Amino acid sequence: MAQKLTASMPEALDLAFTYAVQFAALDPTTGADVPGVVISGALLTVTQLTPDTAPDDLNSGFFSVAFRGQPLGTLNSEGSG
Amino acid sequence: MADVALAAKGASSDPLTYVIPGAQEILIKAARASFDGSAASGSFVPALRILDPNGNELAACPISDTLTVGASADVSWFPRGGVSGGTGGTGIQFDTDNEGGWLDITTNNADGSGFGFNLVDTSGGGFKLDGGGGGWELLDDSTGLFAGLTGGAPWRVHLSGGGQYEVQTDGGVSISDDDDVTGTTLQENGDGGMTFQNNGAGDTNITTAAAASNLFLAAQGGGTGEVAMLGDYHTGVPASQVQVNKNGVIVAANVANSSGTNNITVNASTASVGGSNPGQFVRVAPNILLDRYVTEPSAPSDSAYVYCYDDSTHVYIKAVFANGHRAIIAQNF
């Protein structure tokens, strides 16, 4: 059974295009990638800072938009999204 | 701004990378992924990395645990996230207010100084533990919080910086010792003196409750010691004693001994009632209550005393000396 672990990440981590977020399994001694570790179920919760008229523009590589929340105060005008 | 969840389909045995697409700018709020180490080539640490456009690592956010080959973990990252998991939680971090439901801390080993639990403040800002009105309880089952100190692991509040220890309550202070061996000691080793002060309307009682127990008030300093009992003092236990062991002065407004075997004595070798050492005396004022005898009492072996003698015709105040001689001090007619 998988352990449930939590870790800290920087707050207000603002990233522009061509920057990357990477999930990796690191060697505890060298910091190198450890082969054979299968990574799945990756999920990023982000705030889209660019105009969000086309959130699907965030689709990239393995990742695609799975859920889009509603901007505060616009739920009635935009419907369920 | 709306929050968007970006999910990766499927799985990868290589680092799983999300590249922010062109013309997009995002603020990462949280991340999670599952790591299956069944086929791992060695121990590993799940991490979240931030890479610049050239692939250089800007930041790495590893978990604090190392997973062995075969281990699996579901890992969550978020600001102020815990450094390790088990059942999750937000952990304790510095320079921020940590607040949560409850916190149990159990230690299983002593540190290099011998402490199982050691809280130290070196900032100079002080140390505050606030029970919030729910009460305080410090327990020690003989080897605990202050174990390792000299004297058989005592509890100790030690202010080595010359500070003052103050106990302030709105409900009174009770110091109780249930042990029959070690007793209770209040000891002042400095020259600052010791004061027992009652500013309220209630009585001050120093009581020896056991039969034949003694109450010792001992002034043992190099100067002229003084034990002053300015109010009523009652020793109600047979054979109990009030002793001033050195250079003592007793000033008593009313000393009531309920048993004839009670004593008030001055034991210092250099001090005696009426002796040659000026300034050392026993003063009983304003009233002297003498025991009433209806037959002449026997003479003391090595001293003298004053007594009241009632022969049913007259009442005398007499003195009897060690040689058996008697003197009438006063007589009614």
Side-chain angles (χ1 to χ4, degrees), chain A residues 52 67-71 78, chain B residues 2-5:
Chain A
D52 57 354
F67 174 79
R68 180 191 175 212
Q70 298 299 321
E78 292 193 358
Chain B
D3 287 346
V4 177

Side-chain angles (χ1 to χ4, degrees), chain B residues 153-205:
Chain B
W155 280 79
R156 179 179 296 173
V157 177
H158 183 197
L159 303 179
S160 60
Q164 183 182 38
Y165 181 56
E166 179 178 311
V167 177
Q168 180 175 339
T169 76
D170 294 329
V173 177
S174 174
I175 299 176
S176 176
D177 174 41
D178 296 332
D179 182 69
D180 292 335
V181 178
T182 54
T184 301
T185 300
L186 296 175
Q187 183 170 323
E188 160 69 27
N189 293 323
D191 295 330
M194 179 179 287
T195 300
F196 294 89
Q197 183 168 333
N198 178 4
N199 292 326
D203 294 336
T204 298
N205 294 300

